[in-house]
Every structure is written in structure tokens, then in C-alpha cells.
Amino acid sequence: MINKLFIIIALLVCTRISAQEVGKYPEVGKPIPDFVLTNIKYFSTNEINGRELTGKHTILDFWNKYCVSCIRSFPKVNELAAKYQGRVNIALVGLQEEGIEDLYEKNRERLDLTLPAAFDSVLYRRFVPGGAPHLIWIDDEGIVQAVTGGSELTEANIEAFINGKSFPFTNTSHKANLDMAAMYDFFKPFLIDGNGGKSSEFLYRSLLAEYKPGMPTKGAVGPIDEFIQFVQSEHNMYEKYEFEAVWSLPMLYTYAYIGNTDWYYGDSLYSDFYINPLVVDVDSSRFFPDVANGDNMYWYSLIVPPSKLTANYLLTGIQRDLDYYFGYEVKVEKRKMPYLRIVAKPDARRKLETKGGEEFVDPNVNNSWFKGTNIPLERFLKIFCYLTNQGLRVPFVDETGIDYHIDIDVDIVYQSFEDIRKVLNKVGLDVERGEREYKVLVIRDPKPKSENVNAQLN
């Protein structure tokens, strides 16, 4: 629910920005507002200002130390900056807070980064209306050509940017947020009383549309029970309740049949249900979304009266709508599936067993390292599996047999399976590939030709 509340609060803040103030912020199609960025590291100059951004294309990539996807993107951004060196300047601008410069230096040394980097809380809060990553694309004449999230930073888009061509992106600028707030009230259902489009009266309504970048959305939806509790507590003034999400088919089907889209180590579903559904004897191409372009993404809404706001009613309704439109056969089956087993090496006790002291986790723990004293292994594994699972999307199982408390100090910024092994090996642990039985959501054509699995979804 935190993501949903953050998005709503951010939009409410944006609505307080007057039309006269908009010129202070980057706006697509207009010159970049004047600014000064100082103390730039690993660049030909240690200071630039908005007036100097002419003659070369520039991308400012704003990030903060709490943004996992920002930190995971550093190698990709570094690679693109190197490839387009001399044609495009790509610079990281971090929100200046305690620990962020040390965090970047640690990653720079570990990942051999050569990216220019600056840290400025004033500029960050002025140019970034919501979350990160937040990218501002400025052409060689100082004109803002795009304001985007991180998924739009691709070779194809950079090539188009350099050559003066348009490319698809979701506008995340202050002006775009203002425009959205003006056309859409996030505290009312979509299409009610002219909210976001034409209205009509109804007792019950479900709506499925192909998603197009820029369509309004309320944000993240948590587990079904938490969602119901939230809307009952926050929206009990309404005659109807709306379940709304912008999702791919895998996420829609997973939520419809399991009541959640993501679960992590330690969650009740983690050891029981496989995180990825399977597609059997179906053209799987429509199951792989392109978030930046909106391809294979859907805007889905289900509105019900308060008397129908139950988990069973909502999930059955979503299942029915998916069946009516897409027609796939969906079942929960038990199957042998790949997983990653965490095991202890012979020297694990010597390297890990606590030397005593008060149970303690470094309060500065962030997305780059983990330090713990006299803690159970599970406390470390919850953080470790959460961060790595975002990239690998394969469940972990603790098969170490460790029943003693540990002291541990490790990096936890991983880019690959081999990265994980190297880090764990240093503390006497290892990770191995294996197979075990899970409940799996299987999506197939109503008349399957065989049991061959076409795709395991990420």
C-alpha cells in the first residue's frame, strides 16, 4: 500500500504548483530551466549550469540511495555512457543524503564505473516531482526532449534522441503530473461524472483496455486481503469500490488465481507457490510486456458495491473477465520447478558463527551491503533473497542446516548468478541450482496439443 499512497500524495503536492511556477521545472519542448550543478566527479569539469548545455546532448539521471532499481541500473547506464561517449553526456545526480556518496563509491569501485556523478539535494527536489530513476533528456540546443523513468534508457531511444527523432516515453515531468491531476481525480473511480472521460450510470462494471503510456493509474496493488482492508478504511464514503491495475497478462492471471503478484522469502506463499506462471501450447509473445511502450499491458478496472467487496467475489470476477476476453484455460498444478538452494560449505561455522555480543543489524544497512552481529541466518536471508529475487525471479531455499547465530558483513549488489556465488563463498556459503515440487499457475490453450512448456515467464 506504500507505493499507492506515495503516488497519490505526490500528485496532490503537484496540484499545488501554480501555472506561473511551471517554468521553474523541466518541461518537454522547452529550454531547460537555468540551474547550477557543482562538485561533479569523474567529468571534464566540476561545475555546469543550464546555459552551458548546448553543443552536446545530455541526459541527467536522478537517483537516491533507497532506489534498488537505480543502483541495479548502474552497469547498464555506465555501458551506454561509454558507448555514446563524445555524442551524449550521461551523468548521475544523486539526492544528497548521509551515506549516498560512500554508497556510490563502493559501487563505482566494485563495478568499475566511469560515470560522471554529482550529489545535490536542492536540484533533485526541484527537478524530480516523484520517484526515481528520473531522467531528463536535453538536446544540443538546450531543449528538453523527454522527461522519463529508467526503462526508456535504451540504445534505440538514445539513437533517436541524438538524431532529433521522437521516441515513445511516459512523460514524468511536473507539467505532465499537473495535467494528469487536472483531468483525473484519484479519489474517484475512472469515468465517473466525467472523470477522465465520458461517464455513464452503472450498478457493476468491469473494464479492460489496452494500456497506453500516460494513462492514469492509482499505482501498486498489494495482496487481496490488504487491498480490501485499505479501501474499506480509506474510501468508506463511496457507494462503490474500484479494483484497478495496469498489468501484464502474467500479473493479471497471477493475481486473479492467487490474490497477489509478488511474494518474497519468508512470506506464506514463498515455499508453496512458484512466483512465475507457465504458458503451455500458447503463443507466449503476448505474455511478455514492454512497459515503456505499453505493449502487452492492460488497464483493468472492476467496480463493485460495498456488499460485494470480498476476496472471493473480486478474484472470481477477475477470473471471469479474463476468461471472457482471452479464453485461456488456467489451473494450479504441482510441478518440478527450478530453485536455488543455499548450502553451507565446510568452513561455514568458522567464518559465520557469532563471537557473541548484542543482536544487532547495522542501522545504515541499505541496498549495497549487509552487516549483522549475533543474528539468525534467516534475518540475513530475508534481505538477501528479496534483493536478488528481483533480478533472478527464482525462489531460494535454505538448506544450510545452520542452527547457530552468525556475524556477517557482505556486499548485496548483485548482477548475476555468479556474482551471488562469489559473495556467498567468501562467508562459507554457496548457492546451487536444483528442482523441487511447487504449486504452479499453468496457462494453456483450451485444447492443448501437448504438455511441452513454451515459456517460463519472468
Side-chain angles (χ1 to χ4, degrees):
M1 291 302 103
I2 292 176
N3 288 339
K4 172 180 282 191
L5 292 174
F6 178 80
I7 291 171
I8 292 173
I9 291 168
L11 285 164
L12 290 176
V13 170
C14 285
T15 61
R16 298 191 181 101
I17 301 170
S18 68
Q20 290 77 17
E21 289 181 297
V22 170
K24 298 179 181 179
Y25 311 101
E27 186 174 342
V28 176
K30 294 188 177 182
I32 185 74
D34 195 27
F35 67 93
V36 177
L37 189 60
T38 61
N39 194 26
I40 305 172
K41 300 179 179 180
Y42 319 114
F43 193 51
S44 56
T45 179
N46 65 0
E47 179 178 318
I48 60 172
N49 62 62
R51 294 186 301 273
E52 294 173 342
L53 291 181
T54 57
K56 184 175 288 187
H57 292 72
T58 300
I59 300 174
L60 300 179
D61 185 348
F62 290 83
W63 68 286
N64 63 67
K65 69 179 183 180
Y66 304 105
C67 176
V68 175
S69 61
C70 296
I71 297 168
R72 292 183 67 87
S73 73
F74 285 170
K76 181 190 83 170
V77 178
N78 191 70
E79 181 179 346
L80 290 171
K83 178 171 182 175
Y84 290 97
Q85 186 176 11
R87 302 173 69 193
V88 178
N89 288 327
I90 302 178
L92 296 175
V93 183
L95 173 61
Q96 180 67 68
E97 292 182 298
E98 183 178 354
I100 189 171
E101 294 193 45
D102 290 341
L103 171 60
Y104 181 72
E105 285 301 315
K106 190 176 183 72
N107 280 278
R108 186 184 70 83
E109 294 174 6
R110 181 176 180 279
L111 301 172
D112 196 24
L113 303 179
T114 57
L115 286 165
F119 305 91
D120 190 318
S121 59
V122 174
L123 186 63
Y124 184 101
R125 293 190 172 98
R126 178 185 170 198
F127 276 12
V128 182
H134 183 80
L135 278 63
I136 300 174
W137 306 58
I138 309 161
D139 69 18
D140 57 355
E141 295 181 358
I143 306 299
V144 177
Q145 294 299 332
V147 182
T148 75
S151 62
E152 284 91 343
L153 190 65
T154 65
E155 290 187 18
N157 287 347
I158 293 176
E159 289 286 351
F161 174 53
I162 294 172
N163 293 309
K165 298 179 180 179
S166 62
F167 58 89
F169 67 92
T170 298
N171 189 344
T172 59
S173 67
H174 289 78
K175 178 65 163 54
N177 281 331
L178 278 172
D179 291 343
M180 182 180 293
M183 68 168 283
Y184 185 69
D185 184 344
F186 281 80
F187 289 99
K188 293 181 181 178
F190 191 49
L191 299 181
I192 299 299
D193 298 328
N195 186 40
K198 294 180 180 180
S199 61
S200 61
E201 294 184 357
F202 59 87
L203 297 176
Y204 168 101
R205 187 198 71 176
S206 62
L207 176 66
L208 180 70
E210 291 185 352
Y211 174 73
K212 295 179 176 57
M215 276 186 174
T217 176
K218 294 178 181 177
V221 178
I224 186 67
D225 291 337
E226 292 184 13
F227 167 76
I228 291 174
Q229 182 180 4
F230 174 78
V231 295
Q232 286 177 332
S233 63
E234 297 294 326
H235 304 296
N236 55 14
M237 72 291 292
Y238 297 142
E239 295 180 358
K240 301 182 182 71
Y241 295 116
E242 181 179 29
F243 172 91
E244 179 262 296
V246 173
W247 279 339
S248 62
L249 279 183
M251 294 182 72
L252 280 169
Y253 274 105
T254 299
Y255 200 92
Y257 285 86
I258 302 176
N260 202 353
T261 57
D262 260 333
W263 44 92
Y264 300 96
Y265 188 92
D267 294 348
S268 59
L269 287 173
Y270 192 81
S271 61
D272 193 25
F273 261 99
Y274 206 70
I275 188 68
N276 300 326
L278 296 180
V279 174
V280 178
D281 286 319
V282 172
D283 177 6
S284 62
S285 60
R286 71 190 307 179
F287 286 80
F288 292 88
D290 185 329
V291 177
N293 294 325
D295 294 342
N296 296 325
M297 296 286 291
Y298 298 90
W299 197 103
Y300 176 77
S301 167
L302 176 62
I303 297 181
V304 301
S307 62
K308 301 294 186 181
L309 190 68
T310 66
N312 181 66
Y313 191 86
L314 287 177
L315 296 183
T316 301
I318 301 171
Q319 293 172 21
R320 182 196 60 240
D321 287 338
L322 294 175
D323 181 48
Y324 283 166
Y325 189 81
F326 298 105
Y328 296 118
E329 179 184 288
V330 182
K331 290 183 179 179
V332 175
E333 301 178 3
K334 288 188 175 181
R335 292 197 176 213
K336 291 278 190 180
M337 298 299 294
Y339 78 102
L340 296 176
R341 51 196 301 262
I342 300 176
V343 298
K345 301 182 75 174
D347 58 352
R349 182 178 287 271
R350 177 178 61 82
K351 290 185 175 182
L352 282 174
E353 188 169 21
T354 183
K355 296 178 177 59
E358 183 179 353
E359 185 173 319
F360 173 76
V361 170
D362 188 337
N364 294 318
V365 64
N366 52 40
N367 299 321
S368 183
W369 65 84
F370 183 96
K371 297 178 181 179
T373 301
N374 197 8
I375 61 171
L377 177 64
E378 182 178 14
R379 191 167 179 187
F380 160 68
L381 291 181
K382 284 185 177 181
I383 299 294
F384 166 83
C385 294
Y386 169 77
L387 293 175
T388 55
N389 195 50
Q390 293 190 35
L392 296 178
R393 301 290 290 177
V394 177
F396 291 84
V397 176
D398 178 10
E399 298 184 11
T400 62
I402 292 176
D403 58 1
Y404 49 84
H405 279 207
I406 65 171
D407 297 335
I408 191 166
D409 182 351
V410 294
D411 292 335
I412 50 175
V413 175
Y414 306 124
Q415 305 301 324
S416 69
F417 177 79
E418 289 306 317
D419 278 341
I420 295 172
R421 292 200 69 191
K422 288 177 183 177
V423 171
L424 291 183
N425 285 172
K426 291 179 181 178
V427 293
L429 300 176
D430 203 353
V431 60
E432 301 172 349
R433 301 183 191 275
E435 281 193 348
R436 66 190 294 265
E437 190 173 81
Y438 284 92
K439 291 179 183 177
V440 186
L441 192 68
V442 180
I443 305 170
R444 54 164 61 87
D445 187 272
K447 297 178 181 179
K449 298 177 182 179
S450 70
E451 288 296 315
N452 294 326
V453 176
N454 289 337
Q456 179 176 322
L457 304 178
N458 293 317

